[in-house]
Amino acid sequence: MKYQETLNAIYARLDRLGDLPVFSATVNRIRQVSSSRQSDAMALAMAVMKDANLSAKLLKIANTHTYNRGQGKISAVSRAVVLIGFERIHNLCMTLKLIESFRDEQPDTGIEQLLISAFLNASIAREMAAVAGAVDIEETYICGLLYGLGEIIVAFTLPDTYRDMLRQRALKREGWPRIQLQALGGHFSDIGQDLAQSWGFPKTVVQAMDPLSADQLHGKDKLNHRLAAGCHDLLELIYRRDTSGDLDYTELMLDLASATRQPVDSLDQHVSEAFRQVCDLADEYGLRNSTISPRVEASEDAPLDEATRKLAYYVHSREARRRDPDVVPAPLESAQLDEKAHWMEQQLIYLQRLNELISEQAGATSLLEVAVDAIVKSCALERSAFCMLGSEGKELRAKLVSGLDGRPLRHFFQLRRDDEWATLFFRLMDKRMTLLVPDTDEPGWRDRLPAEFMQQVDPRGFIMAPLVVNDRVIGLIYADKVTPGSIVEDQEFRVFNQFLVQARLGLEVLRHRR
């Protein structure tokens, strides 16, 4: 009965407010257009432009370093749509509207911090999903964004109750879940699930919002919950909100490393990247620096203290650079700017070409040719290839190669599953894992990689990932650098992943239409 009373009070408060902006007609229209296989960039841009404030915010975000790297000022929403992508536009619009809905209400409940945490949770989860080879990284983003929805709603609609809950938490006499149960008759996750379901979010997204219902999930949906929940707990530690002592930073990072099949050190980079993105967003909304920066204080968890110190230093140094032009890093040389602008232009050209091929219902080979070519023409990666899985999964053969001398790739990628040196490549496809080796000269890599591969292909750094279409692995996409002294940079990995995802989506659309 207590829980039902809580829900009734929440819905009554929401009814008095009217339709929340985050679920307004504009956002619903954007959701419809962005999910339609028949829509083009202009149709989505027109939907966004129906909300003048949203258009202005979106253009500001599109011009941040996260999305616009040397391409010149983006002043058209349609261009922002092409640059950022349909699904991410939808999720970014929902994020902007979420902040717009709640940030000015009940300032002493800490709701700004909850909104920042929601966006961080979504961003970190998406970064990790990308390297884990997740089928739908934008759905992972939604799961991360909504994971803490219940707490946000309670702080917004029942501020007095929420303040009292925070006071009880500070006393450390009861655990946070117990406080929720006593005050609300249920947990934040229950409230969040009720609301998300009533607002029409997919069942798998709703189930991913709570550990109990997530037990029913499998595959990509289970991964979405693991990332959303793990990143949420990680932020609870970083922001020192957890007072129970039940969470451990190292254990959380190891669990996330297991979920993504990535080393812990690389996960630190994804957390840092998400903090950079939230700082970009905060600049546009005027959110306080103190809201974003974690507190630096000593604890008995040394790895957590070190991670917190680095993140706090990044936020404060960014703020200092923004305020004092004298500490702004030196600008890139003209040649570097020209090169970055060229690559960004190439990305837009190839993305547009892929959209055209999908509209024309071109063949799968044509679409893959463009995607493979795009990988080496849109960044400093030097060779790329699509290798097809055949003979009922027993053979892997190079079908399309682009970039510098492709003969080593064509020669090596003629693999059979029973070849001793082919185990790594078939295992990656079987487990649907992405492998990123930025520098093959790093200690340990040459001993772990097949000798035949290193001798014949001789990469300085490489990426490879299975191409999964309609939940079936059809092959492997590979890219590398061969120039001595070169390594694979983060931006090059993002370009690789962008066109891997675009190839998958394009092939799924083509198969659906046929």
Side-chain angles (χ1 to χ4, degrees), residues 1 73 99 106 125 211 226 308 310 334 383-384 429 445:
M1 183 65 68
K73 184 174 177 61
I99 295 174
Q106 311 300 344
R226 288 186 69 185
T308 301
K310 289 179 179 178
S334 176
R383 299 184 301 192
S384 63
M429 291 185 291
W445 276 118

Side-chain angles (χ1 to χ4, degrees), residues 114-278:
L114 296 178
L115 294 171
I116 288 295
S117 293
F119 181 49
L120 272 172
N121 202 46
S123 299
I124 297 172
R126 180 171 58 194
E127 291 286 323
M128 292 187 180
V131 297
V135 176
D136 188 346
I137 61 175
E138 296 306 326
E139 184 169 298
T140 307
Y141 181 92
I142 289 295
C143 289
L145 189 69
L146 297 182
Y147 193 80
L149 176 65
E151 186 170 2
I152 293 172
I153 291 293
V154 170
F156 179 68
T157 59
L158 306 174
D160 293 337
T161 300
Y162 185 68
R163 291 187 194 96
D164 185 60
M165 292 171 67
L166 292 178
R167 284 192 289 270
Q168 293 182 53
R169 185 178 194 175
L171 294 174
K172 301 183 181 180
R173 295 172 183 169
E174 298 277 5
W176 194 221
R178 178 68 177 169
I179 293 171
Q180 295 171 43
L181 199 58
Q182 291 175 341
L184 307 171
H187 295 111
F188 289 139
S189 58
D190 301 323
I191 294 169
Q193 284 185 307
D194 272 313
L195 289 165
Q197 184 173 7
S198 70
W199 286 333
F201 283 95
K203 181 180 178 181
T204 53
V205 171
V206 174
Q207 287 178 287
M209 296 170 70
D210 181 83
L212 291 178
S213 58
D215 283 342
Q216 305 169 34
L217 299 174
H218 303 282
K220 70 177 182 66
D221 301 316
K222 187 73 170 181
L223 176 63
N224 284 345
H225 167 73
R226 288 186 69 185
L227 293 179
C231 294
H232 173 269
D233 289 345
L234 189 65
L235 290 169
E236 289 286 283
L237 285 177
I238 288 173
Y239 284 112
R240 314 287 176 166
R241 281 167 46 86
D242 176 66
T243 57
S244 66
D246 293 337
L247 300 177
D248 179 83
Y249 177 80
T250 301
E251 289 181 6
L252 279 174
M253 292 298 282
L254 288 174
D255 186 63
L256 288 168
S258 171
T260 58
R261 302 183 180 94
Q262 297 291 313
V264 170
D265 289 347
S266 71
L267 299 189
D268 288 334
Q269 299 174 9
H270 302 313
V271 174
S272 298
E273 172 65 17
F275 264 79
R276 185 176 65 77
Q277 292 177 22
V278 84

Side-chain angles (χ1 to χ4, degrees), residues 18-134:
D19 188 24
L20 286 177
V22 68
F23 302 107
S24 66
T26 298
V27 175
N28 286 332
R29 175 60 180 158
I30 290 168
R31 184 190 302 179
Q32 293 170 1
V33 174
S34 61
S35 62
S36 171
R37 298 180 185 275
Q38 283 73 46
S39 299
D40 57 20
M42 187 54 66
L44 183 54
M46 292 296 291
V48 172
M49 287 189 290
K50 290 182 181 296
D51 187 318
N53 188 48
L54 177 61
S55 300
K57 295 294 185 194
L58 183 63
L59 285 174
K60 287 183 178 179
I61 296 299
N63 279 291
T64 62
H65 182 68
T66 301
Y67 300 108
N68 184 8
R69 304 192 176 189
Q71 180 60 22
K73 184 174 177 61
I74 297 171
S75 56
V77 173
S78 57
R79 190 177 175 203
V81 168
V82 173
L83 178 66
I84 298 174
F86 274 37
E87 289 180 329
R88 189 167 290 191
I89 282 285
H90 164 233
N91 290 344
L92 188 54
C93 287
M94 198 167 82
T95 301
L96 293 170
K97 281 295 190 180
L98 185 71
I99 295 174
E100 182 180 306
S101 299
F102 298 124
R103 67 165 297 237
D104 293 326
E105 301 288 337
Q106 311 300 344
D108 58 338
T109 61
I111 201 163
E112 272 195 353
Q113 179 68 71
L114 296 178
L115 294 171
I116 288 295
S117 293
F119 181 49
L120 272 172
N121 202 46
S123 299
I124 297 172
R126 180 171 58 194
E127 291 286 323
M128 292 187 180
V131 297

Side-chain angles (χ1 to χ4, degrees), residues 71 79 82-83 341-357 370-371 373-374 377-378 498-499:
Q71 180 60 22
R79 190 177 175 203
V82 173
L83 178 66
H342 168 73
W343 283 338
M344 182 61 72
E345 183 68 29
Q346 289 298 305
Q347 288 179 49
L348 291 171
I349 290 172
Y350 277 104
L351 287 171
Q352 183 63 36
R353 180 58 183 148
L354 287 170
N355 286 332
E356 291 172 355
L357 289 174
V370 172
D373 200 37
K377 296 294 178 59
S378 301
Q498 178 183 43
F499 286 105

